């Protein structure tokens, strides 16, 4: 279960809902348990597990459609000591005055407006810090496609969060 | 509009969103509980079907097609060779048993020459027999 925190992070940031992420996490572990003989060691176990998670989450989100509610996980108190957070809130930035929870909610809403594939790429690259090559293996697409999806997703998020500028 | 750097920083801060404390410690217990509940709830045939689908989904059927084809070929070859080595006029055990029964009940009937092509010829046991006097004497 050492894979649980990162896998949960992926599922949570793709669904923006704790209950859905929890159910999906259990389903992903169950599927991995049943399919463990299919793991050939061509990629790392982590990559294999994440590819199951991404595929199951995309299918779940496509079936669910637009019916979703946001449920926010607690923001860890460690954020107060995060260097980037301190820099962002101390300087004159568009989000300086924004309440942290409100900011979190706005960002999650913006994320949910992205397509499932774009959200998956943003989650893995920007939030979890995975390299392009690993994301391409997990999603079964080329690195060029990953970069293109990232570029397009960033443009969309910037448009959705434009109001923070004012 | 937020610039690219600010957006990436904002997204990175999302990693601080965490599930309730102790959540990851309970994941394994929850997993075991769900697995047991699943086994009790689902009918056996559905579990078997599910596992078969998983099995064939993971293993390429072509790998097993070759093995199955070879096994069928070996079985066919064995069947053909057994058939070809059997004597053409061999009688079944039932026929042999039946004829022995007839011989026991009526010995003279059993030694009667068969009717047909050799009906006029002398009995076979007369032709093959030799008088005792024709036996070569033992000499040392």
């Amino acid at each position: 279960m050492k894979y649980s925190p990162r896998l949960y992070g992926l599922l949570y940031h793709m669904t923006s809902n704790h209950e859905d992420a929890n159910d999906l996490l259990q389903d992903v572990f169950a599927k991995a348990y049943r399919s463990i003989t299919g793991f050939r060691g061509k990629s790392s176990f982590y990559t294999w597990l994440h590819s199951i998670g991404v595929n199951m989450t995309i299918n779940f989100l496509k079936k669910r459609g637009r019916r979703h509610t946001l449920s926010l996980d607690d923001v860890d108190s460690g954020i107060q000591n995060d260097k980037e957070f301190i820099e962002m809130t101390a300087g004159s930035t568009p989000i300086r005055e924004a309440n942290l929870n409100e900011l979190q909610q706005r960002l999650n809403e913006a994320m949910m407006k992205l397509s499932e594939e774009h959200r998956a790429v943003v989650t893995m690259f920007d939030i979890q810090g995975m390299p392009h090559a690993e994301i391409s293996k997990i999603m079964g697409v080329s690195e060029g496609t990953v970069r293109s999806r990232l570029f397009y997703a960033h443009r969309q998020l910037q448009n959705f969060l434009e109001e923070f500028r004012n | 509009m937020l610039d690219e750097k600010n957006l990436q920083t904002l997204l990175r801060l999302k990693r601080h969103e965490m599930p309730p404390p102790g959540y990851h410690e309970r994941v394994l217990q929850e997993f075991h509980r769900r697995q047991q509940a699943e086994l009790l709830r689902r009918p056996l045939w559905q579990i078997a079907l599910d596992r078969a689908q998983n099995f064939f989904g993971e293993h390429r059927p072509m790998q097993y097609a070759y093995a199955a084809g070879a096994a069928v070929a070996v079985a066919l070859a064995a069947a053909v060779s057994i058939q070809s080595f059997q004597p053409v006029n061999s009688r079944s055990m039932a026929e042999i048993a039946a004829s022995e029964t007839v011989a026991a009940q009526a010995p003279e009937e059993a030694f009667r020459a068969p009717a047909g092509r050799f009906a006029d010829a002398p009995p076979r046991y007369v032709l093959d027999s030799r008088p005792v006097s024709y036996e070569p004497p033992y000499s040392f």
Side-chain angles (χ1 to χ4, degrees), chain B residues 47-122:
Chain B
I47 294 169
L49 181 69
D50 194 27
R51 290 192 178 175
Q53 281 174 342
N54 270 317
F55 180 81
F56 286 111
E58 291 151 11
H59 300 85
R60 286 176 300 169
M62 283 307 289
Q63 287 178 333
Y64 298 96
Y66 289 124
V72 168
V74 168
L76 280 175
V80 167
S81 62
I82 287 168
Q83 286 254 327
S84 63
F85 280 114
Q86 276 183 347
V88 178
N89 293 324
S90 66
R91 294 188 301 168
S92 68
M93 293 297 288
E95 288 171 333
I96 293 166
S99 66
E100 284 177 356
T101 310
V102 168
Q105 287 170 352
E108 68 281 2
E109 289 294 319
F111 289 105
R112 184 173 291 165
R117 216 173 75 176
F118 301 107
D120 301 333

Side-chain angles (χ1 to χ4, degrees), chain A residues 1 26 29-30 33, chain B residues 27-35:
Chain A
M1 289 295 156
Q26 294 292 338
F29 279 137
Y33 178 71
Chain B
V27 165
L28 188 59
Q29 293 171 356
E30 174 73 5
F31 177 71
H32 287 152
R33 192 191 64 74
R34 287 192 186 211
Q35 288 290 301

Side-chain angles (χ1 to χ4, degrees), chain A residues 13 75-76 78-79 82-85 87-88 95 100 103-104 107-108 111 122-130 150 154 157 161, chain B residues 3-18:
Chain A
H13 292 302
V75 176
D76 187 62
I79 194 173
D82 190 296
K83 188 182 161 194
E84 286 180 330
F85 177 76
E87 282 176 5
M88 184 169 261
I95 61 167
L100 186 60
L103 183 62
Q104 185 189 12
L107 193 55
N108 284 341
M111 286 277 285
V122 168
T123 298
M124 287 187 273
F125 182 79
D126 290 309
I127 302 175
Q128 300 198 300
M130 286 186 202
L150 264 177
H154 284 180
L157 285 174
L161 295 170
Chain B
D3 63 13
E4 183 78 8
K5 187 171 173 285
N6 273 334
L7 178 66
Q8 289 187 357
T9 306
L10 203 54
L11 286 167
R12 271 198 295 278
L13 290 177
K14 273 178 69 62
R15 66 173 178 260
H16 289 286
E17 290 173 29
M18 298 282 180

Side-chain angles (χ1 to χ4, degrees), chain A residues 47-148:
Chain A
T47 303
W48 179 73
L49 195 61
H50 261 60
S51 65
I52 294 175
V54 168
N55 288 329
M56 286 183 76
T57 309
I58 288 175
N59 288 339
F60 167 80
L61 291 170
K62 284 186 191 300
K63 275 185 193 167
R64 191 182 68 176
R66 291 278 170 196
R67 293 175 290 105
H68 67 269
T69 54
L70 299 180
S71 87
L72 302 179
D73 277 349
D74 298 331
V75 176
D76 187 62
S77 56
I79 194 173
Q80 305 295 340
N81 303 319
D82 190 296
K83 188 182 161 194
E84 286 180 330
F85 177 76
I86 294 167
E87 282 176 5
M88 184 169 261
T89 51
S92 175
T93 65
I95 61 167
R96 186 186 56 187
E97 300 297 329
N99 177 281
L100 186 60
N101 286 332
E102 186 193 343
L103 183 62
Q104 185 189 12
Q105 191 162 350
R106 291 286 178 88
L107 193 55
N108 284 341
E109 284 171 2
M111 286 277 285
M112 292 308 288
K113 288 178 184 171
L114 298 175
S115 74
E116 289 81 13
E117 286 80 6
H118 286 98
R119 202 180 315 144
V121 172
V122 168
T123 298
M124 287 187 273
F125 182 79
D126 290 309
I127 302 175
Q128 300 198 300
M130 286 186 202
H132 294 106
E134 191 170 355
I135 299 171
S136 75
K137 281 182 193 167
I138 289 171
M139 299 202 70
V141 295
S142 68
E143 281 190 47
T145 305
V146 172
R147 288 174 198 276
S148 153

